[in-house]
């Protein structure tokens, strides 16, 4: 079908020019519907980079920014995110979801391929489609070059001028012995050691180039979390510091005295499935975002797959610790809990505090279970203080325990520093007007905030106050479904040259939950079938069906077949009405 118009508030990375499909005629256009809070969307940005390099100006990627959180509607916040994540293609600002609706997008991320004559030729949701996109684009290049309808020269992308600041979008920070502070200078791919004044640069670790080289001149790729090892563990391991090298999907070990860096966990490939080993250098990781020393090991906030993992730097092992990979909010035993992009960690004796960003939640681990003190689910957020059960945050990324026992939270999208008091169960705002605070630490008798979008570490004026802001709930176009029984069909066909892999049992798995949970009278949970009969409860008019589907395939004819895992999460808003459909079909594309 003919591609719909590109409508929005404005454009970024075009030098001020407005683009339309007529101006892109002759190009293969890949529309990437994304929102900058979404880790899956960030994964897709990295999957697209090699394709942009391979096909050059014959392909134009257009990021269509379709926000989830209220903060993401701010044009300045979007411009910052485009720079922060190194987006080097045009971006359409679509705060009212006009283009999102025109292309019937239902999930972040969604990719749409438009051919040089302006026709949609493929749509796919989720991440992990690099191979499929390569095949599609390669075929379109060949076809339209032969027809004379391909324009392989010229690009609408215009780079923004580089900024001059000492730090650029710093992510996480830790206090060092003696009063210095070490910060991950995330957008510049390095670590920076600051004097106690928080501005004087003492040393830099890393070349500043995006990469993964080890040694005396290391390279990182958007590093985030940092943790110092206890002295005896550091002596046994041979390094002092562990770094969450986020976009490389690695953990790195660093000798602070020399800066010498070694890869200590991860293969550099993104996790798709369990490969049956816990040997640290043989296990794939997925966007490790923060680190903490807890219960004798390094706990890793594995944001990319909504889990916590543990890394043992002496035994050189790494393994899942909490979470099932389902993206949602559910407490209980650690092997059964659901999280959503955990991004901040802080240990406090028996408790490990977690900033669970996509559920806007503050949670903690204790005695083998996870508990939530602030947070109501994937779609509820705001800036509300008071009793913790009623309090709301907006995509928090950092957490720290203060000397008085309160838990400080970098409430990132509210631009605030919040505090939860475990003794009273109350939440208060300590500071506001901050520029996307991404971490917080108590250092030298003061509270320090990593003010990421202001490119600095700051000591805010603390003045405890109660804020009673607006309660926001994400709303999207709802699918009208009939009451009672609802058939769920996940449609999947292996990619060309692949087949379903039954080596380890059923190659398919579907997990269904709902928000609110009472929406489903029957059918929630995990099964090994692509078809499921759900029963919608009486008396509930609307909600969100959360579906996670995956399928394992392998190469059909190869002598040494490679394994592949296709996985997709959907949040499907539904409205129960008498004239609704009785079958819900979702397409899982390989």
């Amino acid at each position: 079908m003919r591609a719909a118009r590109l409508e929005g508030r404005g454009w970024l990375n075009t030098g001020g020019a407005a683009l339309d499909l007529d101006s892109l005629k002759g190009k293969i256009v890949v529309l990437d519907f994304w929102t900058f809070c979404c880790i899956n969307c960030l994964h897709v940005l990295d999957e697209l980079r090699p394709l942009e390099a391979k096909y050059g100006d014959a392909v134009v990627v257009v990021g269509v920014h379709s926000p989830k959180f209220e903060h993401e509607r701010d044009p300045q916040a979007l411009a910052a995110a485009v720079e922060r994540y190194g987006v080097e293609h045009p971006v359409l600002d679509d705060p009212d979801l006009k283009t999102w609706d025109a292309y019937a997008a239902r999930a972040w991320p969604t990719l749409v391929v438009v051919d040089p004559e302006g026709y949609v030729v493929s749509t796919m949701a989720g991440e992990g489609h690099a191979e499929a996109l390569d095949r599609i684009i390669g075929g379109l290049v060949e076809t339209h070059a032969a027809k004379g309808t391909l324009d392989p020269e010229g690009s609408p992308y215009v780079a923004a001028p580089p900024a001059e600041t000492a730090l650029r979008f710093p992510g996480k920070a830790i206090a060092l012995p003696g009063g210095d502070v070490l910060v991950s200078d995330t957008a510049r791919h390095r670590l920076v050691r600051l004097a106690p004044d928080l501005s004087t640069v003492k040393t830099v670790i890393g070349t500043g180039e995006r990469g993964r080289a080890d040694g005396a001149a290391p390279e990182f790729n958007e590093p985030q979390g940092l943790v110092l090892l206890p002295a005896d563990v550091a002596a046994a391991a041979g390094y002092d510091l562990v770094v969450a090298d986020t976009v490389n999907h690695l953990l790195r070990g660093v000798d602070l005295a020399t800066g010498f860096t070694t890869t200590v966990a991860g293969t550099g490939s993104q996790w798709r499935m369990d490969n049956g080993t816990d040997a640290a250098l043989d296990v794939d990781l997925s966007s490790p975002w923060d680190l903490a020393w807890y219960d004798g090991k390094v706990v890793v906030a594995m944001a990319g797959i909504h889990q916590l993992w543990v890394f043992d730097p002496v035994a050189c092992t790494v393994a899942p610790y909490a979470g099932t990979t389902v993206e949602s909010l559910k407490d209980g035993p650690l092997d059964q809990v659901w999280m959503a992009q955990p991004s901040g960690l802080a240990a406090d004796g028996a408790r490990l505090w977690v900033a669970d960003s996509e559920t806007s939640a503050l949670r903690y681990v204790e005695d083998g279970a996870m508990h939530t003190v602030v947070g109501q689910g994937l779609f509820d957020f705001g800036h509300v203080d008071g009793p913790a059960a009623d309090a709301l945050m907006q995509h928090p990324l950092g957490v720290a325990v203060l000397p008085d026992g309160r838990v400080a939270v970098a409430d990132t999208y509210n631009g605030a520093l919040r505090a939860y008091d475990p003794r009273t169960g109350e939440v208060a705002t300590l500071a506001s007007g901050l520029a996307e605070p991404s971490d917080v630490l108590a250092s030298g008798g003061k509270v320090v905030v990593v003010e990421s979008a202001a490119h600095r570490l700051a000591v805010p004026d603390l003045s405890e106050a109660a804020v009673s802001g607006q309660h926001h709930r994400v709303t999207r176009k709802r699918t009208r479904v009939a009451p009672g029984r609802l058939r769920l069909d996940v449609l999947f066909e292996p990619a060309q040259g692949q087949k379903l892999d039954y080596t380890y049992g059923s190659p398919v798995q579907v997990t269904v939950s709902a928000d609110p949970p009472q929406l489903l009278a029957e059918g929630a949970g995990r099964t090994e079938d692509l078809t499921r009969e759900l029963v919608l409860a009486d008396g509930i008019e609307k909600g969100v069906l959360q579906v996670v589907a995956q399928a394992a395939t392998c190469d059909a004819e190869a002598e040494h077949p490679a394994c592949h895992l296709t996985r997709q999460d959907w949040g499907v808003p539904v409205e129960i009405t008498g004239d609704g459909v009785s079958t819900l079909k979702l397409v899982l594309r390989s």
Side-chain angles (χ1 to χ4, degrees):
M1 64 179 181
R2 178 69 69 176
R5 293 174 56 196
L6 303 179
E7 295 185 82
R9 178 167 54 189
W11 288 85
L12 294 87
N13 285 352
T14 64
L19 304 183
D20 56 33
L21 290 174
D22 286 339
S23 67
L24 297 174
K25 190 174 181 179
K27 305 291 188 184
I28 299 162
V29 178
V30 179
L31 302 178
D32 174 21
F33 291 87
W34 70 300
T35 186
F36 65 76
C37 71
C38 166
I39 192 67
N40 310 92
C41 300
L42 302 186
H43 290 164
V44 168
L45 289 176
D46 293 308
E47 292 172 356
L48 290 173
R49 293 185 211 278
L51 296 176
E52 292 176 279
K54 178 177 180 178
Y55 292 104
D57 292 348
V59 171
V60 174
V61 175
V62 173
V64 182
H65 188 262
S66 311
K68 170 186 175 180
F69 287 102
E70 191 67 21
H71 176 69
E72 293 173 302
R73 299 178 184 276
D74 182 339
Q76 292 183 325
L78 173 57
V82 167
E83 180 190 350
R84 181 197 303 266
Y85 297 118
V87 180
E88 296 182 347
H89 51 246
V91 174
L92 173 63
D93 181 7
D94 182 27
D96 298 320
L97 306 186
K98 291 181 179 178
T99 300
W100 166 282
D101 287 338
Y103 282 86
R106 299 173 71 177
W108 291 287
T110 292
L111 296 167
V112 177
V113 181
V114 181
D115 74 10
E117 295 178 293
Y119 289 91
V120 173
V121 296
S122 183
T123 300
M124 53 193 74
E127 58 178 285
H129 299 300
E131 293 181 12
L133 279 171
D134 196 3
R135 290 194 301 269
I136 293 167
I137 293 170
L140 290 173
V141 167
E142 183 177 344
T143 298
H144 287 275
K147 289 177 64 177
T149 49
L150 182 70
D151 176 9
E153 304 295 335
S155 170
Y157 169 66
V158 178
E164 296 298 331
T165 54
L167 303 172
R168 206 69 192 160
F169 297 105
K172 302 290 184 181
I174 57 171
L176 298 178
D180 289 351
V181 173
L182 187 70
V183 57
S184 53
D185 192 12
T186 304
R188 291 212 175 112
H189 316 295
R190 61 184 189 167
L191 313 179
V192 176
R193 183 170 185 154
L194 300 175
D197 65 6
L198 304 178
S199 59
T200 301
V201 175
K202 296 183 71 172
T203 58
V204 172
I205 299 173
T207 65
E209 297 296 321
R210 189 189 293 266
R212 57 170 293 185
D214 284 335
E219 296 170 340
F220 300 94
N221 196 344
E222 299 182 26
Q224 288 281 352
L226 312 164
V227 66
L228 282 175
L229 298 177
D232 58 332
V233 177
Y239 51 87
D240 312 292
L241 174 78
V242 181
V243 180
D245 194 6
T246 304
V247 177
N248 274 332
H249 310 296
L250 298 174
L251 300 183
R252 316 288 291 280
V254 178
D255 183 317
L256 276 176
T258 64
F260 194 91
T261 298
T262 307
T263 297
V264 296
T267 65
S269 296
Q270 186 183 338
W271 184 94
R272 297 294 182 194
M273 67 178 81
D274 181 13
N275 64 358
T277 181
D278 64 358
L281 292 173
D282 295 332
V283 177
D284 297 336
L285 309 181
S286 185
S287 298
W289 205 276
D290 203 9
L291 307 169
W293 183 260
Y294 175 71
D295 198 22
K297 293 183 177 61
V298 176
V299 179
V300 184
M302 204 70 74
I305 47 176
H306 320 299
Q307 289 183 308
L308 304 181
W309 284 37
V310 287
F311 166 60
D312 187 327
V314 177
C316 301
T317 58
V318 64
Y321 175 64
T324 64
T325 76
V326 173
E327 183 182 16
S328 192
L329 180 69
K330 185 176 80 169
D331 290 337
L334 294 182
D335 62 348
Q336 299 174 29
V337 300
W338 295 347
M339 289 176 281
Q341 218 168 296
S343 302
L345 299 173
D348 175 29
R351 287 185 175 180
L352 175 71
W353 293 93
V354 182
D356 200 28
S357 64
E358 279 293 286
T359 55
S360 298
L362 175 63
R363 311 173 75 178
Y364 69 89
V365 172
E366 187 175 33
D367 295 331
M370 181 168 284
H371 311 267
T372 298
V373 294
V374 178
Q376 299 179 17
L378 279 168
F379 305 101
D380 293 272
F381 58 93
H383 190 163
V384 177
D385 289 325
D390 301 321
L392 293 169
M393 298 179 180
Q394 186 178 182
H395 197 77
L397 291 178
V399 61
V401 180
L402 301 181
D404 64 5
R406 289 181 300 168
V407 181
V409 181
D411 191 6
T412 309
Y413 286 3
N414 280 327
L417 179 64
R418 312 285 291 282
Y420 165 70
D421 191 334
R423 295 163 298 189
T424 65
E426 294 284 318
V427 175
T429 296
L430 300 182
S432 57
L434 303 173
E436 293 192 9
S438 58
D439 202 11
V440 55
L441 69 153
S443 176
K446 55 194 176 187
V447 176
V448 177
V449 172
V450 180
E451 205 173 354
S452 187
H455 318 294
R456 66 182 183 181
L457 273 62
V459 179
D461 292 329
L462 302 184
S463 178
E464 185 171 327
V467 173
S468 181
Q470 189 174 356
H471 182 160
H472 297 279
R473 184 169 177 82
V474 177
T475 57
R476 289 175 285 161
K477 188 174 182 180
R478 295 185 180 274
T479 298
R480 297 164 66 89
V481 297
R485 298 191 177 276
L486 176 67
R487 178 186 172 95
L488 172 66
D489 287 335
V490 177
L491 308 179
F492 176 75
E493 183 175 340
Q496 185 176 357
Q498 297 178 18
K499 63 181 181 180
L500 287 169
D501 182 4
Y502 290 86
T503 304
Y504 301 103
S506 175
V508 299
Q509 188 177 99
V510 176
T511 302
V512 180
S513 60
D515 181 19
Q518 298 82 4
L519 175 66
L520 281 177
E522 297 179 24
R526 178 182 297 178
T527 62
E528 296 181 344
D529 298 295
L530 292 175
T531 296
R532 176 93 60 91
E533 187 172 86
L534 311 177
V535 178
L536 302 175
D538 295 333
I540 299 180
E541 297 179 354
K542 60 184 64 174
V544 178
L545 290 175
Q546 295 158 218
V547 181
V548 183
Q550 64 182 46
T553 60
C554 63
D555 296 338
E557 304 297 336
E559 182 179 355
H560 302 288
C563 297
H564 312 270
L565 183 71
T566 303
R567 177 185 172 91
Q568 174 59 29
D569 298 15
W570 293 271
V572 184
V574 295
E575 178 182 358
I576 292 84
T577 176
D579 60 354
V581 299
S582 57
T583 300
L584 179 63
K585 295 182 184 292
L586 301 175
V587 180
L588 178 64
R589 293 190 183 276
S590 59

